[in-house]
Coordinates of all heavy atoms in Angstrom, one line a residue:
I1 N 0.8 -1.2 0.0 CA 0.0 0.0 0.0 C 0.8 1.3 0.0 O 0.3 2.4 0.2 CB -1.0 0.0 1.2 CG1 -0.2 0.0 2.6 CG2 -2.0 -1.1 1.1 CD1 -1.1 0.3 3.7
G2 N 2.2 1.1 -0.2 CA 3.0 2.3 -0.3 C 2.9 3.1 1.0 O 3.0 2.5 2.1
D3 N 2.7 4.4 0.9 CA 2.6 5.3 2.1 C 1.2 5.6 2.5 O 0.9 6.6 3.1 CB 3.4 6.7 1.8 CG 4.9 6.5 1.7 OD1 5.4 5.3 1.9 OD2 5.5 7.5 1.4
S4 N 0.3 4.8 2.0 CA -1.2 5.0 2.3 C -1.4 4.9 3.8 O -0.8 4.1 4.5 CB -2.0 4.0 1.6 OG -1.8 4.1 0.2
I5 N -2.5 5.5 4.3 CA -2.9 5.5 5.6 C -3.3 4.1 6.0 O -3.9 3.3 5.2 CB -4.1 6.5 5.9 CG1 -4.5 6.5 7.3 CG2 -5.3 6.1 5.0 CD1 -5.6 7.6 7.6
C6 N -2.9 3.6 7.2 CA -3.3 2.2 7.6 C -3.2 2.1 9.1 O -2.3 2.7 9.7 CB -2.2 1.3 7.0 SG -2.5 -0.5 7.4
E7 N -4.2 1.3 9.6 CA -4.2 1.0 11.1 C -3.6 -0.4 11.2 O -4.3 -1.4 11.2 CB -5.5 1.1 11.7 CG -6.1 2.4 11.7 CD -7.6 2.4 12.2 OE1 -8.5 2.1 11.4 OE2 -7.8 2.7 13.4
D8 N -2.3 -0.5 11.4 CA -1.6 -1.7 11.5 C -2.2 -2.6 12.6 O -2.3 -3.9 12.5 CB -0.1 -1.6 11.8 CG 0.6 -1.1 10.5 OD1 0.0 -1.3 9.4 OD2 1.7 -0.6 10.6
D9 N -2.6 -2.0 13.7 CA -3.1 -2.8 14.8 C -4.6 -3.3 14.6 O -5.2 -4.0 15.4 CB -3.1 -2.0 16.1 CG -3.9 -0.7 16.0 OD1 -4.1 -0.2 14.9 OD2 -4.4 -0.2 17.1
K10 N -5.2 -2.9 13.4 CA -6.5 -3.3 13.1 C -6.6 -4.3 12.0 O -7.6 -4.7 11.5 CB -7.4 -2.2 12.8 CG -7.6 -1.2 14.0 CD -8.5 -1.8 15.1 CE -8.7 -0.8 16.2 NZ -7.6 -0.7 17.1
M11 N -5.4 -4.8 11.5 CA -5.4 -5.7 10.3 C -6.1 -7.0 10.6 O -6.8 -7.5 9.9 CB -4.0 -5.9 9.8 CG -3.4 -4.6 9.3 SD -1.9 -4.8 8.2 CE -0.8 -5.7 9.2
E12 N -5.8 -7.5 11.8 CA -6.5 -8.8 12.2 C -8.0 -8.7 12.3 O -8.7 -9.6 11.8 CB -6.0 -9.2 13.6 CG -5.9 -10.7 13.8 CD -5.1 -11.1 15.0 OE1 -3.9 -10.7 15.0 OE2 -5.6 -11.8 15.8
L13 N -8.4 -7.5 12.7 CA -9.8 -7.2 12.8 C -10.4 -7.2 11.4 O -11.5 -7.7 11.2 CB -10.0 -5.8 13.5 CG -11.4 -5.4 13.9 CD1 -12.0 -6.3 14.9 CD2 -11.3 -4.0 14.5
A14 N -9.7 -6.6 10.5 CA -10.2 -6.5 9.1 C -10.4 -7.9 8.5 O -11.4 -8.2 7.8 CB -9.2 -5.7 8.2
L15 N -9.4 -8.8 8.7 CA -9.5 -10.1 8.3 C -10.7 -10.8 8.9 O -11.4 -11.6 8.2 CB -8.2 -10.9 8.5 CG -7.0 -10.5 7.7 CD1 -5.8 -11.2 8.2 CD2 -7.2 -10.6 6.3
D16 N -10.9 -10.5 10.2 CA -12.1 -11.2 11.0 C -13.4 -10.7 10.3 O -14.3 -11.5 10.2 CB -12.0 -10.7 12.4 CG -13.0 -11.5 13.3 OD1 -13.1 -12.7 13.1 OD2 -13.7 -10.8 14.1
I17 N -13.5 -9.4 10.0 CA -14.7 -8.9 9.3 C -15.0 -9.6 8.0 O -16.1 -10.0 7.8 CB -14.6 -7.3 9.1 CG1 -14.6 -6.6 10.4 CG2 -15.7 -6.8 8.2 CD1 -14.2 -5.1 10.3
L18 N -13.9 -9.8 7.3 CA -14.1 -10.5 6.0 C -14.6 -11.9 6.2 O -15.4 -12.4 5.4 CB -12.8 -10.5 5.2 CG -12.3 -9.1 4.7 CD1 -10.9 -9.2 4.1 CD2 -13.3 -8.4 3.8
M19 N -14.0 -12.6 7.2 CA -14.6 -13.9 7.5 C -16.0 -14.0 8.0 O -16.8 -14.8 7.5 CB -13.6 -14.6 8.6 CG -12.3 -15.2 8.1 SD -11.2 -15.6 9.3 CE -12.2 -16.9 10.2
Q20 N -16.3 -13.0 8.9 CA -17.7 -13.0 9.3 C -18.7 -12.7 8.2 O -19.7 -13.2 8.1 CB -17.8 -11.8 10.3 CG -17.3 -12.0 11.8 CD -17.7 -10.8 12.7 OE1 -18.8 -10.4 12.7 NE2 -16.7 -10.3 13.3
A21 N -18.3 -11.8 7.3 CA -19.1 -11.5 6.2 C -19.3 -12.7 5.3 O -20.5 -12.9 4.9 CB -18.5 -10.3 5.3
K22 N -18.3 -13.4 5.1 CA -18.3 -14.6 4.2 C -19.3 -15.6 4.9 O -20.2 -16.2 4.2 CB -17.0 -15.2 4.0 CG -16.9 -16.2 2.9 CD -15.5 -16.8 2.7 CE -15.5 -17.7 1.6 NZ -14.1 -18.3 1.3
A23 N -19.2 -15.8 6.2 CA -20.0 -16.7 6.9 C -21.5 -16.4 6.9 O -22.4 -17.2 6.8 CB -19.6 -16.8 8.4
K24 N -21.8 -15.1 6.7 CA -23.2 -14.6 6.8 C -23.6 -14.4 5.3 O -24.8 -13.9 5.1 CB -23.2 -13.3 7.5 CG -23.0 -13.4 9.0 CD -23.0 -12.0 9.8 CE -22.4 -12.2 11.1 NZ -23.4 -12.6 12.2
G25 N -22.8 -14.7 4.4 CA -23.3 -14.5 3.0 C -23.3 -13.1 2.4 O -24.0 -12.8 1.5
V26 N -22.5 -12.3 3.1 CA -22.5 -10.8 2.7 C -21.4 -10.6 1.7 O -20.2 -11.0 2.0 CB -22.3 -9.9 3.9 CG1 -22.2 -8.4 3.5 CG2 -23.4 -10.0 4.9
Q27 N -21.6 -10.0 0.6 CA -20.6 -9.8 -0.4 C -19.8 -8.5 0.0 O -20.5 -7.4 0.1 CB -21.2 -9.6 -1.8 CG -21.5 -11.0 -2.5 CD -21.9 -10.8 -3.9 OE1 -23.0 -10.3 -4.2 NE2 -20.9 -11.0 -4.8
V28 N -18.5 -8.5 0.1 CA -17.8 -7.4 0.4 C -17.1 -6.8 -0.8 O -16.5 -7.6 -1.6 CB -16.7 -7.7 1.5 CG1 -15.9 -6.4 1.8 CG2 -17.4 -8.2 2.8
H29 N -17.2 -5.5 -1.1 CA -16.6 -4.9 -2.2 C -15.6 -3.9 -1.8 O -15.8 -2.9 -1.1 CB -17.8 -4.2 -3.1 CG -18.9 -5.1 -3.4 ND1 -18.9 -5.9 -4.5 CD2 -20.1 -5.4 -2.7 CE1 -20.1 -6.5 -4.5 NE2 -20.8 -6.3 -3.4
I30 N -14.3 -4.2 -2.2 CA -13.2 -3.4 -1.8 C -12.6 -2.8 -3.1 O -12.6 -3.5 -4.1 CB -12.1 -4.2 -1.1 CG1 -12.8 -4.7 0.3 CG2 -10.9 -3.4 -0.7 CD1 -11.9 -5.6 1.1
P31 N -12.2 -1.5 -3.1 CA -11.6 -1.0 -4.4 C -10.5 -1.9 -5.0 O -9.8 -2.5 -4.2 CB -10.9 0.3 -3.8 CG -11.8 0.7 -2.7 CD -12.2 -0.6 -2.0
V32 N -10.5 -1.9 -6.3 CA -9.5 -2.7 -7.1 C -8.4 -1.8 -7.6 O -7.3 -2.3 -7.8 CB -10.1 -3.5 -8.2 CG1 -11.0 -4.6 -7.6 CG2 -10.8 -2.6 -9.2
D33 N -8.6 -0.6 -7.7 CA -7.6 0.4 -8.2 C -7.8 1.7 -7.5 O -8.9 2.0 -7.0 CB -7.6 0.5 -9.7 CG -9.0 1.1 -10.3 OD1 -9.9 1.1 -9.5 OD2 -9.0 1.4 -11.5
V34 N -6.7 2.4 -7.5 CA -6.7 3.8 -6.8 C -6.0 4.8 -7.5 O -5.2 4.6 -8.4 CB -6.0 3.7 -5.4 CG1 -6.9 2.9 -4.4 CG2 -4.6 3.2 -5.5
V35 N -6.3 6.1 -7.3 CA -5.5 7.2 -7.8 C -4.5 7.4 -6.7 O -4.8 7.9 -5.6 CB -6.5 8.5 -7.9 CG1 -5.6 9.7 -8.4 CG2 -7.5 8.2 -9.0
A36 N -3.2 7.2 -7.0 CA -2.2 7.3 -6.0 C -1.4 8.7 -6.3 O -1.3 9.1 -7.4 CB -1.2 6.2 -6.1
A37 N -1.0 9.3 -5.2 CA -0.3 10.5 -5.3 C 1.1 10.5 -4.6 O 1.3 9.7 -3.7 CB -1.2 11.6 -4.6
N38 N 2.0 11.3 -5.1 CA 3.4 11.3 -4.4 C 3.4 12.2 -3.2 O 4.5 12.2 -2.6 CB 4.4 11.6 -5.5 CG 4.3 13.0 -6.1 OD1 3.3 13.7 -5.8 ND2 5.3 13.4 -6.8
K39 N 2.4 12.9 -2.9 CA 2.3 13.7 -1.7 C 0.8 14.0 -1.4 O 0.0 13.9 -2.3 CB 3.2 15.0 -1.8 CG 2.7 15.9 -2.9 CD 3.6 17.2 -2.9 CE 3.2 18.1 -4.1 NZ 3.9 19.4 -4.1
F40 N 0.5 14.3 -0.1 CA -0.8 14.6 0.2 C -1.2 16.1 -0.2 O -1.1 17.0 0.7 CB -1.0 14.4 1.8 CG -2.5 14.4 2.2 CD1 -3.3 13.4 2.0 CD2 -3.0 15.6 2.7 CE1 -4.6 13.4 2.4 CE2 -4.3 15.6 3.2 CZ -5.2 14.5 3.0
S41 N -1.5 16.3 -1.4 CA -1.7 17.7 -1.9 C -2.5 17.6 -3.2 O -2.4 16.7 -3.9 CB -0.3 18.3 -2.1 OG -0.5 19.5 -2.9
N42 N -3.3 18.7 -3.4 CA -4.1 18.7 -4.6 C -3.3 18.8 -5.8 O -3.7 18.3 -6.9 CB -5.0 20.0 -4.5 CG -6.2 19.9 -5.5 OD1 -6.7 18.8 -5.7 ND2 -6.5 21.0 -6.1
D43 N -2.1 19.4 -5.8 CA -1.2 19.5 -7.0 C -0.1 18.4 -7.0 O 0.9 18.5 -7.7 CB -0.6 20.9 -7.1 CG 0.2 21.3 -5.8 OD1 0.4 20.4 -5.0 OD2 0.5 22.5 -5.7
A44 N -0.3 17.3 -6.3 CA 0.6 16.2 -6.3 C 0.6 15.5 -7.7 O -0.3 15.7 -8.5 CB 0.2 15.1 -5.3
E45 N 1.7 14.8 -8.1 CA 1.7 14.0 -9.2 C 0.8 12.8 -8.9 O 0.8 12.3 -7.8 CB 3.1 13.5 -9.6 CG 4.0 14.4 -10.2 CD 5.3 13.8 -10.5 OE1 5.4 12.6 -11.0 OE2 6.3 14.5 -10.2
T46 N 0.0 12.3 -9.9 CA -0.9 11.1 -9.7 C -0.7 10.0 -10.7 O -0.2 10.3 -11.8 CB -2.3 11.6 -9.7 OG1 -2.7 12.1 -11.0 CG2 -2.6 12.7 -8.6
Q47 N -1.0 8.9 -10.4 CA -1.1 7.7 -11.3 C -2.1 6.8 -10.8 O -2.4 6.6 -9.6 CB 0.3 7.1 -11.4 CG 0.9 6.5 -10.1 CD 2.1 5.7 -10.3 OE1 2.2 5.0 -11.3 NE2 3.1 5.8 -9.4
V48 N -2.7 6.1 -11.7 CA -3.7 5.0 -11.3 C -3.0 3.7 -11.3 O -2.3 3.3 -12.2 CB -4.9 4.9 -12.4 CG1 -5.8 3.8 -12.0 CG2 -5.7 6.3 -12.4

């Protein structure tokens, strides 16, 4: 994920949510692509 924001201490929880969703038949939709920037700024360089 490069320098993207992330809660490292919640990664296990995220996996648990995906398992619970699967068990309950809930389809989870997570982004497949992103607009990435080289800095947190409106005039940053970007790439998909």
Side-chain angles (χ1 to χ4, degrees):
I1 60 165
D3 292 356
S4 305
I5 184 173
C6 179
E7 291 175 284
D8 287 343
D9 61 333
K10 295 288 179 287
M11 293 200 301
E12 211 166 303
L13 190 62
L15 293 174
D16 187 49
I17 289 168
L18 294 175
M19 277 171 61
Q20 282 186 52
K22 195 173 180 183
K24 292 173 193 279
V26 177
Q27 278 188 285
V28 180
H29 307 272
I30 298 176
V32 292
D33 58 349
V34 291
V35 177
N38 63 350
K39 59 180 178 180
F40 190 80
S41 161
N42 195 40
D43 55 11
E45 280 181 47
T46 63
Q47 57 173 323
V48 174

